[in-house]
Amino acid sequence: MPKYFQPEIETASREQLLEIQNRKIVEQVRHVYDHVPYYRALMQQKGVTPEDIHGVEDIHLLPFLTKADLRDSYPYGLLGADLKDCVRIHSTSGTTGKRVVAFYTKEDVDLWEDCCARAIVAAGGSDEDVCQVCYGYGLFTGGFGLHGGAHKVGCLTLPMSSGNTARQIQFMMDLHSTILCCTPSYAAYIGESLAEQGIRPEDNCLKAGIFGAEPWTEEMRRSIEQSLGIHAYDIYGLTELGGPGVAFECEAQSGMHINEDHFYAEIIDPDTGEVLPEGEKGELVFTSLDKRAFPLLRYRTRDICMLKREQCPCGRTHIKMCKPMGRSDDMLIIRGVNVFPSQIEAVLLSEGYSPNYQIVVDRVNNTDTFDVNVELTAGQFSDKVSETQAREKALEAALRTMLGIGPKVHLVTPQTIARSEGKAVRVIDRRKLHD
Ligand code: ADP
Ligand code: ZN
């Protein structure tokens, strides 16, 4: 079984990688300057010319791009290639506002699919595998990205798209799927549905799952691994950079290797824009080194993350990013306290609750209210009110210890919180309606 999809590049020495990055950034900056007037103007405002960029050590001189720039330049303002050389358009899922469209040349699609193929091989995939892709197909990048990667690896590919869980399970069982690709919340739902049908983890042929497109905790990983009887691997990406496969997990399951030959990563202080030293937490910024149709330089992802370069037991040399804690705009400020939904998820799962929860924030008489609805599993359900109340109090205390602020917990009956087939909606912030 192959260990790497592109061994030479995935295990290249630090010096070789740097040499590739330096060569590519010089070409890319020249390409963008010549083809993208929007970015050329930003460079001119900052007084930077392509001649100033000799390698990645000069990247910090370049201006940032933000989601606002993408919206302002919608749809063609950041296009870096002739439309006749573009073969594909994808769009963000619009989780946090207006959609953004991204363009691809044939070569851009090719390198994106290579990145996804690397992820599949890192999860143990080969041409012996049946890869069930239940990320959405369409404008969303998840389906087509993993689909293209699975083809490159030579997997028997099942292009299921998302939804119709009964059919997902039937095909999974009948066609002996070995690798499952979807969002972690949908994987959890599939696990739950299998259990309801009395199908035990050892009854399916799955060995690995490649889950991403939304934040998920280590506790969630363990819960999915148990319910499906698999190893679960994280995959990260965003439409603006092509889609999934910007970074992926290997057998070490301790952070995702960034495909550094295609993407250069920096961590910055989100308030000052200053580049932070390796190992510090901040906003993740990416430069796409060789995508030509939508060549973003220093794109601010708003994802809060850390980078670490360490020797990995898998033999890959590419730098790793930790699981993103969520986006800077996912962070809730409740009565002045910063709260990430992922912190709440970690507490719920470690206290033995299901990953079916919803956080509701509102403002009543100028004070923030903070409620967490958590679904009981069938085994936890009790019709004794006093028992449920005692459980609620215990969970409130555990959450208060973690967050520094106490929510009101409501334990609700099984099957009352909507399941997600794509990205889960964990937060309902009604305060926005009053603003
Ligand atoms: P949208 O911004 O509309 O959700 P995308 O589908 O392109 O559009 O989503 C990209 C975003 O999804 C990333 O910026 C990040 O916030 C989130 N994301 C993707 N993969 C992961 C992952 N493995 N872990 C945490 N967050 C992720
Ligand atoms: Zn590794």
Side-chain angles (χ1 to χ4, degrees):
M1 207 168 68
K3 203 167 170 222
Y4 312 105
F5 180 65
Q6 290 169 315
E8 264 174 44
I9 192 71
E10 291 180 69
T11 62
S13 71
R14 183 79 201 102
E15 295 67 37
Q16 286 169 321
L17 269 176
L18 206 55
E19 191 275 316
I20 294 171
Q21 291 182 321
N22 287 340
R23 179 171 44 78
K24 286 187 177 179
I25 189 65
V26 171
E27 278 177 32
Q28 183 74 319
V29 171
R30 170 53 68 197
H31 170 80
V32 172
Y33 195 83
D34 291 346
H35 294 85
V36 186
Y38 186 96
Y39 197 77
R40 181 163 65 231
L42 291 180
M43 285 176 66
Q44 283 164 346
Q45 267 169 30
K46 233 186 156 217
V48 195
T49 65
E51 287 71 37
D52 297 323
I53 308 299
H54 304 100
V56 286
E57 77 277 9
D58 298 324
I59 278 191
H60 68 98
L61 299 172
L62 293 168
F64 290 119
L65 275 175
T66 63
K67 201 128 180 167
D69 289 307
L70 268 64
R71 288 182 191 135
D72 291 349
S73 57
Y74 174 91
Y76 299 121
L78 288 167
L79 188 66
D82 282 345
L83 272 182
K84 78 169 173 43
D85 294 324
C86 295
V87 295
R88 188 87 72 79
I89 291 177
H90 280 286
S91 167
T92 59
S93 30
T95 311
T96 56
K98 191 176 167 216
R99 283 172 183 270
V100 161
V101 288
F103 299 84
Y104 304 69
T105 62
K106 265 189 191 143
E107 293 74 23
D108 295 340
V109 172
D110 197 45
L111 78 85
W112 172 31
E113 292 180 349
D114 281 345
C115 290
C116 290
R118 289 179 194 175
I120 293 171
V121 173
S126 73
D127 56 7
E128 309 269 334
D129 281 292
V130 180
C131 184
Q132 179 163 348
V133 182
C134 17
Y135 285 110
Y137 280 63
L139 282 170
F140 178 54
T141 52
F144 279 99
L146 269 306
H147 179 97
H151 264 216
K152 286 211 172 200
V153 174
C155 302
L156 177 57
T157 308
L158 261 166
M160 299 295 296
S161 196
S162 58
N164 199 339
T165 308
R167 191 178 60 188
Q168 300 280 4
I169 290 177
Q170 190 193 340
F171 274 57
M172 174 190 293
M173 300 306 291
D174 293 350
L175 300 172
H176 303 165
S177 303
T178 55
I179 299 179
L180 184 68
C181 305
C182 58
T183 58
S185 48
Y186 195 42
Y189 179 35
I190 291 177
E192 188 184 1
S193 308
L194 281 169
E196 270 164 22
Q197 294 184 24
I199 305 174
R200 295 166 308 172
E202 57 272 31
D203 297 334
N204 70 57
C205 295
L206 290 175
K207 63 177 191 190
I210 303 176
F211 306 131
E214 62 182 0
W216 52 309
T217 55
E218 284 301 326
E219 289 76 12
M220 180 87 155
R221 188 210 301 271
R222 279 192 288 278
S223 151
I224 295 173
E225 288 188 330
Q226 278 170 12
S227 72
L228 293 172
I230 59 170
H231 289 291
Y233 301 94
D234 202 353
I235 185 166
Y236 170 88
L238 53 163
T239 313
E240 295 91 320
L241 296 170
V246 171
F248 62 86
E249 245 177 6
C250 62
E251 70 221 28
Q253 293 182 309
S254 65
M256 295 177 267
H257 290 285
I258 294 172
N259 283 309
E260 278 191 281
D261 52 325
H262 299 305
F263 303 101
Y264 183 81
E266 300 167 274
I267 294 284
I268 62 160
D269 178 326
D271 298 322
T272 63
E274 182 202 350
V275 180
L276 299 177
E278 210 176 286
E280 285 198 25
K281 191 167 81 184
E283 180 179 350
L284 192 53
V285 172
F286 276 110
T287 293
S288 76
L289 293 169
D290 46 11
K291 279 182 339 98
R292 291 294 192 252
F294 206 61
L296 301 191
L297 304 181
R298 297 201 92 200
Y299 180 62
R300 292 183 59 160
T301 62
R302 302 188 290 181
D303 291 324
I304 304 297
C305 200
M306 268 183 314
L307 298 177
K308 54 179 178 187
R309 191 177 293 284
E310 58 179 23
Q311 213 174 0
C312 188
C314 78
R316 288 179 184 78
T317 47
H318 295 208
I319 198 166
K320 284 183 181 175
M321 58 184 268
C322 71
K323 272 181 172 301
M325 292 185 60
R327 309 185 205 213
S328 48
D329 37 351
D330 275 350
M331 191 184 76
L332 293 159
I333 303 180
I334 306 172
R335 287 178 234 138
V337 180
N338 297 351
V339 174
F340 276 99
S342 57
Q343 296 173 299
I344 295 175
E345 179 176 299
V347 172
L348 297 184
L349 273 77
S350 69
E351 297 285 320
Y353 290 93
S354 77
N356 301 311
Y357 64 94
Q358 209 150 42
I359 302 158
V360 185
V361 189
D362 202 348
R363 187 171 292 144
V364 179
N365 299 330
N366 290 322
T367 305
D368 293 336
T369 61
F370 177 21
D371 294 81
V372 181
N373 302 326
V374 187
E375 212 180 87
L376 289 163
T377 59
Q380 288 167 333
F381 184 70
S382 151
D383 42 18
K384 285 210 194 88
V385 176
S386 58
E387 238 171 68
T388 307
Q389 279 173 343
R391 274 179 176 277
E392 286 175 342
K393 289 283 162 264
L395 195 48
E396 281 170 5
L399 285 164
R400 192 176 311 112
T401 306
M402 170 68 155
L403 306 171
I405 174 173
K408 179 101 194 67
V409 170
H410 310 271
L411 294 174
V412 299
T413 43
Q415 303 298 335
T416 43
I417 292 180
R419 303 297 189 264
S420 160
E421 295 168 350
K423 301 194 189 209
V425 180
R426 305 284 198 203
V427 179
I428 300 174
D429 192 344
R430 298 210 178 99
R431 293 174 301 185
K432 290 183 183 153
L433 300 174
H434 315 311
D435 289 341

